[in-house]
Amino acid sequence: MKLCKLIFVAMMMAINSLSSNAVTLHTDAGRLAMLITEEMRSETSLTITGTMDARDFAILAEAFPELTHLDISQVSIVDYSSTSSIIAGQIRHPADALPPQAFFGMKVREVRLPAELKSIGKGAFVATHIQTIELPENLTTIGDYAFYDCDRLQQITLPTAVASLGDYAFADCQQLTSVDISQTQIDSLPAYAFTGCSSLVSIVLPYQLRQIGSAAFAKTGITSISLPTPLERIGDYAFENCYNLSRITFQAGGTGLTVGRNAFASCDKLTSIALPAYTSYIGASAFEGTPLTAFVIPQSVTILNNNLFKGTKITSIHIPANVEIIGEDVFYNVPLTKITFAEGEKPLTIGSLEHDVSKKDNRNFGVFFGTQITELVLPDRLVSIGDCAFYNQTTLTSVYMSKNSQLKTIGQYAFAVESGRSRLNSVSLGGSLEVIGQYAFYKANLIDITIPRSVTLVDKYAFSDNMYMRSVVFEMGGN
């Protein structure tokens, strides 16, 4: 008898459990709240049919705090405009669109969406437990933050109709391992689209992609990426801190490319990259902190922006004829032993002038600070050497400028050495030089120096503490 009672109780519990995990509600738009009872708060699985609008989605999180499975595949989402307390302000929520924050913070692991769905609103799935989701084929738009911080989502394939992806759409999805957007209509990846997806190792991009937004792949785990032919811009910080990125391929046939600041900075395994010849601009710090061992500067680039190669492992570099500016700290602490310059018609400046270098702590900078160049042959087109440009260069032994040199200014502390011992014992100055800044050759190891007649100012301490100096010759006919 006891056994029969136990079996009966077990059967009733199983029936109750099944009914508890399989609730179905049929609703008309705006009436879902009327169908929900207090007993339903513990439900984990829910199917909704009928019609829904923004009012119905607004109550889901509070009404079903334990919900893990939701099926709204048989729902038609209808248009709604409201100034109610639930939806603040006059806002229109169109038909066939998930409203903003529809499932915000819910425990849902699986959601089945309507086939007619065209848009996923801003923050719709933020911080949910979503693990897998099949997106409808009619979907065209995924809003800002749509899947932000979905830390259990593992993979995603976007349908072919998707043409617009919002900022931070999949940011901080830390278990997301693969993304395929190759068949979509997307031509511009937004800012921070996949930033912080630390497990993301595979991404397939659409052929027509023209732009990659700021920090779109920053702090992801991608190991390699193929960039399509039409690509025109890689945004600021686009691949910064991609700690496993070691191979970047550019498909042939493009016509123009710009690379933003810090685009590949701190990519710890990036030892080489070949930018297309048609690259016209590379932003500041683009490769800072990477282990690049070599780099070919594209012929169309005119500016080497500040910190561009700072902290890399490059040992040799050639500066093309189109380069007009080499910014501050471009080769800071780079083990550079050889640099060559192409001649040309465009004037060249190295670093900048008029820094406040009165305190030693203010002098820990310079275009070639910490490099290991031994011999320096400067091009005739060089017009200015900035403050501290070759500061504390203890390996440099000679600097050569021809009589046809257009160099007019050598900045403060340009070749000075204050830490260690200078080996600079040979300097030939060009015939157009006008200003030698203060402390320019301070504590160098010069023996003889000839000052061209074009020089109008040798500033204070320019050649101070050159202990082995034998002679200073001023050319006749100067001012």
Side-chain angles (χ1 to χ4, degrees):
M1 189 71 175
K2 285 185 177 180
L3 181 61
C4 291
K5 286 183 177 179
L6 288 172
I7 293 173
F8 176 76
V9 169
M11 289 176 64
M12 291 303 295
M13 289 177 65
I15 292 170
N16 288 336
S17 175
L18 285 172
S19 63
S20 175
N21 292 325
V23 171
T24 298
L25 297 175
H26 181 83
T27 186
D28 294 321
R31 300 180 64 83
L32 181 63
M34 300 178 183
L35 305 177
I36 299 172
T37 64
E38 182 63 26
E39 291 74 18
M40 293 181 184
R41 286 181 57 81
S42 61
E43 297 296 343
T44 59
S45 182
L46 175 66
T47 298
I48 303 175
T49 61
T51 59
M52 295 177 67
D53 63 28
R55 292 170 294 177
D56 302 308
F57 286 98
I59 65 169
L60 281 176
E62 182 178 353
F64 299 98
E66 303 302 322
L67 197 64
T68 59
H69 295 76
L70 176 64
D71 185 348
I72 56 171
S73 60
Q74 301 304 309
V75 165
S76 292
I77 301 174
V78 297
D79 179 273
Y80 180 71
S81 296
S82 175
T83 55
S84 73
S85 59
I86 297 176
I87 309 297
Q90 183 66 41
I91 301 173
R92 178 177 179 269
H93 298 277
D96 300 325
L98 273 183
Q101 302 182 9
F103 308 114
F104 183 93
M106 293 181 68
K107 295 180 180 179
V108 286
R109 298 198 300 265
E110 182 179 0
V111 176
R112 294 184 63 193
L113 298 171
E116 297 80 14
L117 190 70
K118 295 179 181 177
S119 175
I120 295 176
K122 182 176 181 178
F125 290 90
V126 166
T128 61
H129 293 181
I130 198 81
Q131 294 177 337
T132 179
I133 189 165
E134 183 175 346
L135 299 176
E137 288 301 317
N138 289 324
L139 188 68
T140 61
T141 303
I142 298 175
D144 297 345
Y145 297 91
F147 292 89
Y148 178 79
D149 196 26
C150 291
D151 58 7
R152 303 187 187 191
L153 183 64
Q154 296 181 5
Q155 62 182 29
I156 194 80
T157 298
L158 301 191
T160 57
V162 173
S164 176
L165 195 63
D167 294 349
Y168 293 90
F170 294 93
D172 285 347
C173 294
Q174 295 183 13
Q175 290 193 40
L176 186 63
T177 60
S178 65
V179 174
D180 186 350
I181 57 175
S182 61
Q183 302 304 308
T184 68
Q185 309 305 307
I186 295 171
D187 63 3
S188 179
L189 271 181
Y192 302 94
F194 299 97
T195 192
C197 296
S198 55
S199 299
L200 181 62
V201 295
S202 174
I203 176 76
V204 187
L205 301 175
Y207 173 80
Q208 72 277 2
L209 190 68
R210 295 185 298 104
Q211 296 189 49
I212 296 175
S214 297
F217 296 104
K219 300 179 182 179
T220 62
I222 58 174
T223 58
S224 64
I225 193 162
S226 178
L227 300 176
T229 298
L231 189 66
E232 298 171 353
R233 175 165 174 75
I234 298 173
D236 298 344
Y237 307 94
F239 294 91
E240 185 182 39
N241 278 314
C242 288
Y243 50 88
N244 282 327
L245 183 60
S246 61
R247 185 164 61 90
I248 301 167
T249 304
F250 292 86
Q251 299 301 316
T255 57
L257 176 66
T258 63
V259 178
R261 63 181 298 120
N262 291 81
F264 298 97
S266 300
C267 290
D268 294 341
K269 295 184 179 179
L270 189 63
T271 59
S272 65
I273 184 172
L275 292 182
Y278 50 79
T279 304
S280 60
Y281 180 85
I282 308 173
S285 300
F287 301 104
E288 181 177 348
T290 66
L292 285 179
T293 57
F295 188 82
V296 176
I297 300 169
Q299 294 292 327
S300 298
V301 169
T302 60
I303 301 173
L304 302 185
N305 280 293
N306 295 354
N307 306 303
L308 181 56
F309 301 111
K310 185 177 182 179
T312 64
K313 307 298 181 185
I314 296 171
T315 57
S316 178
I317 197 83
H318 177 71
I319 308 299
N322 280 329
V323 173
E324 300 177 58
I325 298 172
I326 302 178
E328 297 293 2
D329 295 341
V330 167
F331 297 101
Y332 188 97
N333 276 346
V334 175
L336 194 66
T337 58
K338 183 179 180 181
I339 183 169
T340 57
F341 298 86
E343 288 290 4
E345 296 180 359
K346 294 184 176 181
L348 172 67
T349 63
I350 294 176
S352 56
L353 302 167
E354 299 184 2
H355 290 268
D356 179 6
V357 290
S358 57
K359 296 180 180 179
K360 190 174 182 179
D361 288 347
N362 294 346
R363 299 195 284 273
N364 290 323
F365 74 98
V367 179
F368 295 94
F369 183 100
T371 60
Q372 300 170 22
I373 300 168
T374 55
E375 297 179 349
L376 185 62
V377 178
L378 297 172
D380 290 345
R381 66 189 186 94
L382 180 64
V383 296
S384 176
I385 296 175
D387 298 336
C388 297
F390 296 89
Y391 180 68
N392 273 345
Q393 271 278 5
T394 59
T395 58
L396 190 61
T397 61
S398 65
V399 177
Y400 174 78
M401 308 169 207
S402 80
K403 287 296 182 182
N404 296 321
S405 170
Q406 300 303 304
L407 183 67
K408 295 186 181 300
T409 305
I410 298 175
Q412 307 170 87
Y413 290 90
F415 294 94
V417 172
E418 293 188 280
S419 300
R421 178 175 295 180
S422 175
R423 299 181 186 179
L424 182 59
N425 56 37
S426 176
V427 173
S428 62
L429 301 175
S432 299
L433 187 63
E434 296 176 358
V435 176
I436 302 174
Q438 61 179 340
Y439 293 95
F441 293 94
Y442 178 64
K443 286 191 175 182
N445 202 26
L446 297 176
I447 299 172
D448 303 295
I449 189 75
T450 299
I451 309 298
R453 63 174 59 90
S454 56
V455 171
T456 59
L457 174 63
V458 179
D459 213 338
K460 60 184 180 181
Y461 308 112
F463 295 95
S464 178
D465 285 15
N466 277 253
M467 296 179 61
Y468 300 100
M469 182 80 78
R470 295 182 308 192
S471 65
V472 178
V473 177
F474 289 85
E475 288 184 344
M476 297 291 292
N479 295 321

